[in-house]
Amino acid sequence: EARKSFVSQIKKLSDIERETSICINRCVDLGRTSLYIAAEDDSLISHSSVPLPVDAFLERLDDLSMGYCSHYNSACRSSRENFLESIEKYLYVKKGFRRSTANNQAEPRALDLHSVLTHRSGSAVMLSLIHSEILKMLRLWGLLDFDVEIFFPHDPHGLPRAYDKQKSKESDQPHIMTVQMLLEEILRNLKDAFWPFQRGAADSLFLRAANAANCIDKFNGFEDSGYRLASTKAAQRRLDRGVWTSVHFGDMRRALSACERLILLRTDPKEMRDYSILLYHCGLYEQALKFLKLYQDMKSSSAQNPSTDPVSNLEEDAVKKLIVRLNLIAMEEGWTRPLYVRNYLGNNSEPL
């Protein structure tokens, strides 16, 4: 139900709206959409048959906006800057919302809207969403009558801040968060946090998983320390035994869900490639090959110039090796899949 609700929201996204700032009223309810993402992840790990109360957390978000009214006074209207500063003080001082520390950016609690509303600590993208939702409500109530943007910080410690759009500078453009960018950032943060292969010499999630599948030539410049090799082997052994989640070592089911939602959102074709390597590690070889071929078809149709980036070249070499291996599996085994797949992707939510 959470996935269906997520899809019903993103279906409303037109090409124009995807590039629209999150501070502008829109057809897609970003707060609700974010909570549907959290509800799906909660259902994958929860031992309760009761779904996440999305409407209750939406009320909490509305109450946060309502609370500003008691904080608001005429002095706040002395200038636009003072008005926006009063909202920041309300959110970050009076209500105590703070950004998660750099060491805890990958903590799931900082990446789910309901947890951020509860614990008042979250990632930059979650704080940006909450800030923009307050501004949206103030606009509906007539308290905000000028155009505002959220300055999204790209450093590890900065806070999202609102500014008068009329006084924006060209340097502000890379910090403007659009609807598409916000949803992508939410899902990519979750994908990073839950990726089952957390350790590796490469920043590329795909290369870490490909390395675990022995789809990378070590002499091509991708070297691993003994610790990283041991971590990779340990991750693969957990997956082989059907252990889909482990503290600080990812969660296959939620990583798969993040990839699936990114594909539904029509983002980078590389999401299909990343999804396929996870399917491969699950033993779902036929599906893995299907998404790899879709990735290659989309990549060839985009008519991009060949990349000179060594990481991209390593990724493409790994894709080719994986396709060859999957074709061999198809010929030799007829897509026979391991017995653990049923346990692994079944209804049992208890780690083994």
Side-chain angles (χ1 to χ4, degrees), residues 203-239:
D203 290 333
S204 165
L205 300 180
F206 175 77
L207 284 181
R208 292 181 202 166
N211 186 40
N214 295 318
C215 288
I216 295 175
D217 295 328
K218 297 295 185 288
F219 59 80
N220 267 349
F222 187 83
E223 298 296 336
D224 275 321
S225 67
Y227 173 71
R228 285 171 175 151
L229 282 171
S231 297
T232 296
K233 289 179 180 178
Q236 187 58 61
R237 279 197 294 270
R238 283 195 305 276
L239 298 180

Side-chain angles (χ1 to χ4, degrees), residues 302-337:
S302 64
Q304 294 179 344
N305 294 325
S307 175
T308 57
D309 177 35
V311 172
S312 296
N313 291 334
L314 271 176
E315 289 175 337
E316 290 310 306
D317 286 344
V319 167
K320 292 174 184 175
K321 287 182 174 67
L322 188 56
I323 288 177
V324 169
R325 183 179 300 175
L326 287 168
N327 281 322
L328 287 172
I329 291 172
M331 289 187 290
E332 293 178 4
E333 301 183 14
W335 301 121
T336 301
R337 67 179 186 174

Side-chain angles (χ1 to χ4, degrees), residues 3-60:
R3 174 66 67 86
K4 287 178 182 177
S5 299
F6 170 79
V7 170
S8 70
Q9 286 289 323
I10 64 172
K11 275 184 177 179
K12 303 173 187 176
L13 280 173
S14 65
D15 290 339
I16 293 175
E17 184 150 350
R18 287 173 186 270
E19 301 305 319
T20 300
S21 166
I22 60 174
C23 293
I24 297 174
N25 289 340
R26 56 206 167 260
C27 296
V28 175
D29 187 330
L30 292 178
R32 184 178 290 276
T33 306
S34 179
L35 285 167
Y36 287 143
I37 292 171
E40 181 178 340
D41 285 349
D42 181 73
S43 72
L44 292 174
I45 61 170
S46 175
H47 298 284
S48 170
S49 60
V50 180
L52 187 77
V54 169
D55 290 336
F57 282 104
L58 283 172
E59 288 179 13
R60 185 176 294 195

Side-chain angles (χ1 to χ4, degrees), residues 261-276:
R261 289 173 299 209
L262 281 164
I263 292 170
L264 289 168
L265 195 58
R266 303 204 322 263
T267 60
D268 193 321
K270 289 181 181 178
E271 299 302 337
M272 292 188 181
R273 178 201 67 187
D274 292 359
Y275 183 51
S276 70

Side-chain angles (χ1 to χ4, degrees), residues 135-182:
L135 292 171
K136 183 185 77 172
M137 295 303 295
L138 295 180
R139 189 187 300 278
L140 289 173
W141 296 331
L143 292 177
L144 179 65
D145 56 4
F146 58 94
D147 290 334
V148 180
E149 288 288 2
I150 295 289
F151 183 91
F152 180 79
H154 293 299
D155 62 273
H157 304 290
L159 291 169
R161 301 190 180 278
Y163 65 91
D164 183 356
K165 190 172 182 178
Q166 287 186 353
K167 297 185 178 180
S168 63
K169 305 180 289 292
E170 189 174 343
S171 60
D172 294 331
Q173 290 300 312
H175 297 273
I176 294 176
M177 181 69 70
T178 65
V179 171
Q180 179 83 7
M181 288 167 59
L182 181 128

Side-chain angles (χ1 to χ4, degrees), residues 14-134:
S14 65
D15 290 339
I16 293 175
E17 184 150 350
R18 287 173 186 270
E19 301 305 319
T20 300
S21 166
I22 60 174
C23 293
I24 297 174
N25 289 340
R26 56 206 167 260
C27 296
V28 175
D29 187 330
L30 292 178
R32 184 178 290 276
T33 306
S34 179
L35 285 167
Y36 287 143
I37 292 171
E40 181 178 340
D41 285 349
D42 181 73
S43 72
L44 292 174
I45 61 170
S46 175
H47 298 284
S48 170
S49 60
V50 180
L52 187 77
V54 169
D55 290 336
F57 282 104
L58 283 172
E59 288 179 13
R60 185 176 294 195
L61 191 57
D62 290 342
D63 289 343
L64 190 62
S65 303
M66 285 287 290
Y68 174 76
C69 295
S70 61
H71 178 76
Y72 172 82
N73 58 59
S74 57
C76 299
R77 298 294 295 176
S78 59
S79 70
R80 292 180 175 183
E81 288 75 13
N82 287 342
F83 179 54
L84 296 178
E85 185 179 345
S86 72
I87 298 173
E88 287 179 12
K89 286 182 178 178
Y90 169 72
L91 184 62
Y92 298 131
V93 179
K94 182 177 175 61
K95 288 299 181 181
F97 280 87
R98 65 192 184 280
R99 185 168 174 184
S100 302
T101 60
N103 292 333
N104 291 326
Q105 289 294 334
E107 285 294 328
R109 197 168 76 172
L111 306 177
D112 289 327
L113 181 56
H114 71 291
S115 294
V116 177
L117 289 170
T118 302
H119 302 286
R120 304 192 181 190
S121 175
S123 63
V125 68
M126 281 298 148
L127 294 180
S128 297
L129 173 58
I130 292 170
H131 205 146
S132 69
E133 289 297 297
I134 292 175

